[in-house]
């Protein structure tokens, strides 16, 4: 695959992932949304189906990694060439920004209504993760463990396929990994909101800061490094364990 294919595939796939993921968070959170109050199970399935849609779309072009941490994991495992990693990263972060912007446009009416003081809801959590207990060591550990728990099963499903360099051209692996993401959300997502993807958090976080959204809430930039460093470290650990064991 060419660098252009990698960039375009990851851009489109990650944009779809964030559109679904931020979209379900907006649907559950905002006033005048038919899904308001649907809860954590809806969010977990929304993100998992976002992985399904994004990965299926990107797979023919780039392998459908749509996650910089997963890209690092595949590079350590050996399926992705290190010289291709920057093109994956560029597509993933640009796609995350586009997906977050599309979510804002789709829910523009609800975001605008959020300016009413008596009904205002902070919107940062729609776009990025935040911890329930602000403890950097615990939060970092949570993201490392959750992402290692993502990377190891992915490599167990598709590791060693030098032709795919991703989660598959399509088919069963994509579906199973999407269900894996649902499971991580339900089981491991409570402490931090399970970023497990640096692009998923940083791209929408930047977009949220720049868009004219009422009642943004506290920016929490002091936390923003954890959803970047934690997933990368977790994926690296997962890939190292895979290489050592298999």
């Amino acid at each position: 695959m060419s660098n252009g294919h990698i960039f375009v595939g990851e851009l489109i796939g990650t944009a779809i992932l964030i559109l679904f993921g931020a979209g379900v968070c907006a649907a559950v959170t905002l006033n005048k949304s038919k899904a308001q109050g649907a809860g954590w199970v809806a969010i977990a399935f929304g993100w998992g189906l976002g992985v399904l849609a994004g990965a299926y779309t990107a797979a023919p072009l780039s392998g459908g990694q749509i996650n910089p941490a997963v890209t690092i994991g595949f590079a350590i495992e050996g399926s992705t060439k290190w010289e291709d990693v920057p093109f994956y990263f560029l597509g993933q972060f640009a796609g995350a920004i586009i997906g977050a912007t599309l979510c804002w446009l789709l829910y523009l009416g609800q975001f605008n209504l959020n300016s009413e003081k008596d009904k205002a809801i902070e919107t940062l959590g729609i776009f990025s993760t935040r911890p329930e207990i602000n403890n950097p060591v615990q939060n970092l550990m949570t993201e490392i463990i959750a992402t290692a728990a993502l990377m190891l099963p992915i490599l167990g499903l598709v590791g060693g396929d030098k032709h795919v360099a991703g989660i598959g051209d399509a088919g069963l692996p994509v579906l199973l990994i999407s269900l894996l993401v649902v499971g991580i959300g339900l089981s491991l997502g409570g402490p931090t909101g399970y970023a497990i993807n640096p692009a998923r958090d940083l791209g929408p976080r930047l977009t949220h800061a720049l868009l004219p959204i009422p009642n943004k809430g506290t920016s929490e930039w002091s936390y923003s490094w954890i959803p970047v460093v934690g997933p990368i470290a977790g994926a690296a650990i997962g890939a190292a364990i895979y290489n050592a064991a298999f």
Side-chain angles (χ1 to χ4, degrees):
M1 65 186 72
S2 70
N3 292 334
H5 286 150
I6 291 171
F7 174 78
V8 172
E10 294 298 295
L11 183 144
I12 296 172
T14 310
I16 291 173
L17 164 66
I18 301 302
L19 176 60
F20 274 56
V24 71
C25 290
V28 169
T29 302
L30 292 171
N31 292 317
K32 298 297 184 180
S33 164
K34 292 182 181 295
Q36 188 181 29
W40 189 250
V41 173
I43 289 173
F45 272 94
W47 277 104
L49 294 173
V51 171
L52 183 74
Y56 268 131
T57 303
L61 289 173
S62 64
Q65 296 180 15
I66 60 175
N67 181 340
V70 170
T71 297
I72 289 291
F74 274 117
I76 292 171
E77 181 267 338
S79 296
T80 294
K81 298 177 182 177
W82 281 103
E83 56 265 33
D84 291 338
V85 168
F87 298 96
Y88 279 98
F89 279 12
L90 286 172
Q92 289 157 356
F93 280 101
I97 291 170
I98 291 171
T101 304
L102 291 174
C103 171
W104 170 66
L105 290 172
L106 193 147
Y107 282 95
L108 185 59
Q110 282 76 16
F111 280 115
N112 289 339
L113 284 175
N114 199 41
S115 61
E116 299 176 8
K117 292 183 179 180
D118 59 334
K119 297 181 180 179
I121 297 169
E122 288 191 2
T123 54
L124 178 63
I126 292 171
F127 292 87
S128 60
T129 62
R130 58 202 309 181
E132 289 300 303
I133 299 173
N134 192 5
N135 182 318
V137 174
Q138 176 188 330
N139 303 149
L140 182 64
M141 180 177 63
T142 296
E143 289 293 335
I144 290 172
I145 293 171
T147 313
L150 171 71
M151 195 73 234
L152 272 167
I154 288 176
L155 290 174
L157 280 167
V158 299
D161 188 342
K162 309 300 180 184
H163 301 291
V164 172
I167 66 171
D169 290 328
L172 188 60
V174 177
L175 175 60
L176 294 178
I177 292 166
S178 302
L179 291 174
L180 171 64
V181 172
V182 174
I184 289 173
L186 293 175
S187 300
L188 310 179
T192 62
Y194 73 115
I196 61 172
N197 182 337
R200 168 265 176 276
D201 192 273
L202 185 58
R205 190 182 294 269
L206 289 169
T207 306
H208 177 259
L210 295 173
L211 289 173
I213 299 174
N215 297 296
K216 293 187 177 186
T218 306
S219 63
E220 297 184 8
W221 285 105
S222 62
Y223 176 78
S224 63
W225 66 275
I226 290 175
V228 174
V229 174
I232 290 174
I237 291 168
I241 292 171
Y242 178 85
N243 281 347
F246 300 97

